[in-house]
Amino acid sequence: MVSPLRIAGALTALALALPVPLAAQDPETRMMTPRDGELPAVARDQLADWQAVGRLNTRGVSRLGMCSAALVAPDTLLTAAHCLAGPDGNPTSPDMLHFAAGWYGGDSAADSPVASYEIHPQAYARVQLDVEHDIALVYLAEPISEVDPLPLGSRLAPPFALAGYHDHRPHRLSARFDCAGRPVHQLLFVDCPVRPGNSGGPALSGGPDWQIVGVVTASARGNALVVPVDEWVRAQLLQGAPYTSE
């Protein structure tokens, strides 16, 4: 017969091995402990390094509609085309768009309304969205000088990073910096989860000197589909923003 003391000791060991309930954790720890299928929050002491990533509010500054976007020049964002025109190519008025760089808890490092945007010419060439060209450039009405833009890169090799805002945590930047990935046709399949709101957020490579190599377009089997930066994006940036080249 097993003694009561041995049973009590085993139960105590089991209790110590169980994870701490989320309700018993402090708020910051809960932020850093993502649920399945989402990116974790970026630690507070790292947020200043990622202020070029922000929320692109797509239904006016006070509305709930949002995507993610990244500053690639003082007056230019990179995001997903479907954030601006939806699945059927019905364009959103620039007046309804607003960018908040480094959005955190209701405040931002800088913000600006949108003046105009350009969608990749092949994104809606067949009316319905071609996900392989789901990429766009957004031009701000007020250039942002307080935040350094993120550089573009071309090295499509892991580890990849994903950064952006999602519906489970819309007021705090979330990211992962250890994602595997591989090309799939003209897209990049990145083995990190994304949720609504992450669309348009940057995919990066080359850490610790991270460079943008694409934007998140969709979720596939719980992971991210990324549209790589192509020559159209590079040509538009060089044509309209020569200060991005040293």
Side-chain angles (χ1 to χ4, degrees):
M1 179 177 178
V2 180
S3 72
L5 288 178
R6 290 181 64 186
I7 294 175
L11 290 175
T12 299
L14 177 61
L16 291 174
L18 290 173
V20 178
L22 288 179
Q25 297 176 354
D26 66 87
E28 186 66 13
T29 301
R30 289 201 300 272
M31 286 280 192
M32 303 302 296
T33 308
R35 290 174 281 187
D36 289 342
E38 68 179 33
L39 299 174
V42 174
R44 283 180 181 171
D45 61 359
Q46 297 178 17
L47 288 172
D49 297 333
W50 293 98
Q51 291 180 338
V53 182
R55 269 183 51 165
L56 180 61
N57 296 308
T58 59
R59 298 179 187 172
V61 66
S62 63
R63 302 296 183 87
L64 295 178
M66 69 170 192
C67 275
S68 300
L71 201 66
V72 293
D75 66 347
T76 308
L77 309 174
L78 189 66
T79 191
H82 78 260
C83 293
L84 308 171
D88 57 359
N90 187 25
T92 299
S93 169
D95 294 342
M96 297 297 292
L97 303 173
H98 193 276
F99 178 67
W103 180 257
Y104 174 57
D107 198 6
S108 63
D111 70 285
S112 172
V114 168
S116 63
Y117 57 80
E118 287 184 279
I119 289 173
H120 195 289
Q122 296 183 52
Y124 293 98
R126 299 180 179 179
V127 181
Q128 295 297 314
L129 176 66
D130 178 354
V131 70
E132 293 183 342
H133 298 95
D134 185 13
I135 199 166
L137 292 166
V138 176
Y139 304 109
L140 301 177
E142 301 167 4
I144 292 176
S145 59
E146 301 93 332
V147 176
D148 291 332
L150 286 168
L152 298 184
S154 57
R155 183 174 178 269
L156 296 178
F160 295 101
L162 298 179
Y165 296 80
H166 58 73
D167 58 346
H168 280 176
R169 195 178 296 112
H171 303 296
R172 173 78 170 262
L173 182 68
S174 298
R176 281 266 303 267
F177 303 94
D178 60 349
C179 306
R182 61 194 181 279
V184 178
H185 301 293
Q186 294 187 53
L187 298 170
L188 186 66
F189 188 95
V190 177
D191 297 327
C192 277
V194 290
R195 290 194 51 78
N198 284 133
S199 290
L204 307 100
S205 184
D209 299 320
W210 296 102
Q211 298 178 325
I212 298 177
V213 295
V215 300
V216 173
T217 178
S219 175
R221 299 179 183 175
N223 295 312
L225 281 179
V226 169
V227 180
V229 170
D230 67 1
E231 291 308 310
W232 176 81
V233 172
R234 299 179 194 281
Q236 297 305 106
L237 286 174
L238 288 174
Q239 181 183 47
Y243 44 76
T244 60
S245 296
E246 298 180 354

